[in-house]
Amino acid sequence: MPAISKLCRSERRYEYIPPEIFLSILDHLPSEALLPLRTVSKTFLHLITPRIFSEITINLAPAKGDHEQQLMLIKSLSTPSSTVNLFLNSVRKITLYTRCDYWKNEDSILIDGKAFKAVLSEHLAPFLTSLQNLETVDWTHCTVLPRPSLYFVTIAPWLSSLAKLQNVAITTKRDNYCKPTLEDYNLPPLHYFRNLVSLLVSCYSDIPIAYCTREITRAIAASPKLTRFSLRNFDGANHNIVVATTCTSLQTFFGNATIPQLIQLELGHVPLPAAGLSQTLSNRLKSLTISTPTGSRHLDFAWAELFTTLEEMGIKLSQLSVTGMEAAMDEMFSYLISYAGGLHTLEIRDIMMDCQEQEDNAGHRFWDQIVPHHKGSLKELRIYPWYEGEWCYGPETAAAIWQCWSLHQLGIAVRSVNSFWAKDKLSLTSANTAIKALDLREPYGLPEDSAVLILHDFSYVLEKLTLTVTDEASTRAEDMSCLNRRELRGFSTELSAEFKRRIIISKRMDRMLSVLKATSGITQNWPLKVLIAGIQLGGCRDGGSGSGEDGDKRCYQRGKGSGGIP
């Protein structure tokens, strides 16, 4: 009896764990581990069910999955007697995949479109309308052929009827090589949705003006409590070779309706003229992510007026991520110096100014004034210039970073640095066996040496360290000429040599840091995650996961002038 009593007490020990700790433990367990725990007791069933069924994915794109399995799932979800149906109240997020295409599955077997539509008409509505606690819709639509969808007209009204729905994300993709205009397609309707808090729209091409005015604008006007708005035009495309001709400006989206008090704003290749800018921005704005072509070429975007307006309105951002602001560098610096404290994340990507001297002067000012000004609040700092220069790691950079005691994540580019400075810095750690194991040779200060120098700038553990390799400054003139013509730089012997140089430097950094990490005594302040040119440490070495021809391509994945928003 005592043994049984002791066993019972041990099985019920979870009841003595504070609820917040127990829930935190459950949050870290995968779904496959949670499923058997549901059968332990009613208490476990009540706690775990919402975590397992909080999200659901419905694939209505037969060419991307098993259509029969999807139809069976929809039927089961819409049947009140189904055991799965009992947990639909726990669903908080639904991910939808739709597709305008001939009805074919992965084996290219023609599917009966009428039969598919009949099943959807009978079962999809009961299922969607039963999601009474649904809060988020993540809808991805693939445009393949210009033919109307069988279910667009019904899905949006059903979803919009849900009272608790607040967040909608629409992504339009193209998975073939034909390039008709989006005017030819039937895109996911947005005008049904009301009272949204978050609206995200991403499109692979130029968003049609009709879709902007009839769908997006109406959804914004019907959502007075909208706090997060994201619009990515030409998402995933090279912003330096495309031109926005149909996507309307941010001011037009807001129209004459009450301007939403946005907290987060994200724009990718969206026009932003100077007129009406102060009436468009919200005083509550805290997070701003903007991406345009380099120097906002061929796009009506008032970078200078944007930063001036932010300063005049007294808006103090906690997160700023920009790409393409080269023509307004002074205005950006003036804004960043206008307030202190509160800036937690700062990211500047693909810096490509017209001349080297101008870019170096901006880099000097950034590391000498801007970073120290926010040293007490910066938690994430990512600076990615396209060419070697003063924006890259060096003495000024090291001095500025050393002052940021709250920094958790750092992204920075490496370059050749002064050999005497590098030698002096390495001599401070010359007694370290790990440094000796690298067998570093003069002249010190090569780009790959910077990886070692950076690690010794921190007396604490970084969450994430990202190192990138820049182009040589000698390639700037040809690149700028291509940008002005909206052309990609053609293949040449010089371009091939530059690509190989970056690969070699990436591999050398990977080898050196791997040696350091494997040496005892060096891992005390080692970052939790290290990326080299976008690849996890160890992925750029010969024989590693990034070895060979494919690995060489992966070691340097940034698309020149891509302007993508991370």
Side-chain angles (χ1 to χ4, degrees), residues 87-247:
F87 306 112
L88 290 183
N89 285 334
S90 301
V91 177
R92 299 294 185 271
K93 177 182 177 180
I94 184 172
T95 301
L96 282 172
Y97 293 97
T98 58
R99 178 186 179 102
C100 282
D101 194 4
Y102 290 116
W103 297 94
K104 295 182 179 181
N105 63 11
E106 293 178 339
D107 298 323
S108 298
I109 300 176
L110 191 64
I111 299 171
D112 187 347
K114 292 183 178 181
F116 196 87
K117 180 181 178 181
V119 173
L120 296 182
S121 300
E122 181 181 356
H123 297 281
L124 191 59
F127 158 60
L128 292 178
T129 53
S130 65
L131 303 175
Q132 294 302 313
N133 291 315
L134 188 70
E135 300 173 354
T136 302
V137 172
D138 189 348
W139 188 346
T140 299
H141 176 66
C142 293
T143 60
V144 181
L145 295 173
R147 64 171 50 240
S149 167
L150 300 176
Y151 37 83
F152 272 176
V153 180
T154 53
I155 290 180
W158 291 334
L159 290 173
S160 63
S161 66
L162 302 175
K164 295 186 178 181
L165 182 63
Q166 295 182 326
N167 311 299
V168 173
I170 301 290
T171 302
T172 303
K173 296 183 177 181
R174 176 174 57 86
D175 56 0
N176 73 342
Y177 296 98
C178 63
K179 298 182 179 179
T181 64
L182 280 177
E183 297 283 2
D184 298 330
Y185 294 116
N186 185 9
L187 301 178
L190 278 170
H191 68 272
Y192 293 101
F193 295 99
R194 296 177 175 274
N195 300 318
L196 298 178
V197 173
S198 174
L199 176 60
L200 289 73
V201 181
S202 173
C203 186
Y204 73 88
S205 184
D206 202 6
I207 302 177
I209 186 171
Y211 192 74
C212 293
T213 56
R214 290 202 303 256
E215 304 294 342
I216 302 177
T217 301
R218 291 172 65 181
I220 294 174
S223 304
K225 295 184 179 180
L226 191 70
T227 59
R228 183 188 180 194
F229 179 58
S230 172
L231 187 62
R232 298 182 180 184
N233 199 33
F234 289 109
D235 192 24
N238 188 325
H239 283 184
N240 285 320
I241 62 173
V242 295
V243 179
T245 58
T246 60
C247 181

Side-chain angles (χ1 to χ4, degrees), residues 25-52:
I25 294 173
L26 294 179
D27 289 339
H28 286 79
L29 293 177
S31 298
E32 54 269 22
L34 290 174
L35 283 172
L37 286 178
R38 293 175 61 245
T39 62
V40 172
S41 65
K42 291 183 179 180
T43 302
F44 273 73
L45 179 66
H46 175 73
L47 292 173
I48 294 175
T49 297
R51 284 164 172 75
I52 296 179

Side-chain angles (χ1 to χ4, degrees), residues 150-437:
L150 300 176
Y151 37 83
F152 272 176
V153 180
T154 53
I155 290 180
W158 291 334
L159 290 173
S160 63
S161 66
L162 302 175
K164 295 186 178 181
L165 182 63
Q166 295 182 326
N167 311 299
V168 173
I170 301 290
T171 302
T172 303
K173 296 183 177 181
R174 176 174 57 86
D175 56 0
N176 73 342
Y177 296 98
C178 63
K179 298 182 179 179
T181 64
L182 280 177
E183 297 283 2
D184 298 330
Y185 294 116
N186 185 9
L187 301 178
L190 278 170
H191 68 272
Y192 293 101
F193 295 99
R194 296 177 175 274
N195 300 318
L196 298 178
V197 173
S198 174
L199 176 60
L200 289 73
V201 181
S202 173
C203 186
Y204 73 88
S205 184
D206 202 6
I207 302 177
I209 186 171
Y211 192 74
C212 293
T213 56
R214 290 202 303 256
E215 304 294 342
I216 302 177
T217 301
R218 291 172 65 181
I220 294 174
S223 304
K225 295 184 179 180
L226 191 70
T227 59
R228 183 188 180 194
F229 179 58
S230 172
L231 187 62
R232 298 182 180 184
N233 199 33
F234 289 109
D235 192 24
N238 188 325
H239 283 184
N240 285 320
I241 62 173
V242 295
V243 179
T245 58
T246 60
C247 181
T248 59
S249 66
L250 181 65
Q251 291 89 327
T252 303
F253 281 112
F254 293 161
N256 298 323
T258 303
I259 303 300
Q261 296 299 301
L262 297 180
I263 296 176
Q264 298 182 34
L265 175 61
E266 182 178 15
L267 299 175
H269 209 97
V270 176
L272 185 70
L277 193 54
S278 59
Q279 291 78 32
T280 303
L281 297 180
S282 164
N283 286 313
R284 298 178 59 197
L285 193 64
K286 291 297 181 182
S287 176
L288 182 63
T289 300
I290 305 289
S291 175
T292 71
T294 302
S296 64
R297 285 170 170 81
H298 317 294
L299 181 69
D300 184 10
F301 197 97
W303 274 109
E305 289 78 4
L306 171 62
F307 288 118
T308 300
T309 303
L310 289 173
E311 184 175 351
E312 291 175 349
M313 294 179 65
I315 297 176
K316 300 179 180 180
L317 296 174
S318 60
Q319 184 270 334
L320 176 63
S321 177
V322 292
T323 305
M325 72 298 113
E326 288 83 357
M329 196 70 75
D330 289 339
E331 288 79 3
M332 182 178 69
F333 288 165
S334 176
Y335 165 69
L336 289 174
I337 213 75
S338 68
Y339 70 101
L343 182 63
H344 301 313
T345 302
L346 178 58
E347 181 177 49
I348 308 177
R349 302 181 68 90
D350 293 345
I351 304 169
M352 301 173 70
M353 302 187 74
D354 291 338
C355 68
Q356 187 68 39
E357 182 180 2
Q358 182 184 23
E359 188 167 301
D360 284 343
N361 289 337
H364 279 297
R365 185 180 175 190
F366 178 78
W367 294 114
D368 184 57
Q369 298 179 20
I370 307 304
V371 173
H373 188 70
H374 294 279
K375 61 184 179 182
S377 61
L378 274 177
K379 296 181 179 180
E380 299 181 22
L381 179 62
R382 291 181 285 272
I383 307 299
Y384 300 128
W386 197 261
Y387 305 102
E388 58 186 6
E390 297 305 319
W391 285 91
C392 303
Y393 180 77
E396 282 186 301
T397 307
I401 292 174
W402 184 80
Q403 301 178 56
C404 301
W405 57 78
S406 299
L407 204 61
H408 294 163
Q409 297 186 23
L410 174 65
I412 197 167
V414 298
R415 58 150 179 167
S416 297
V417 297
N418 183 279
S419 59
F420 295 103
W421 175 76
K423 185 176 181 180
D424 290 341
K425 195 172 180 65
L426 288 172
S427 66
L428 298 177
T429 56
S430 59
N432 193 308
T433 56
I435 297 297
K436 292 181 178 180

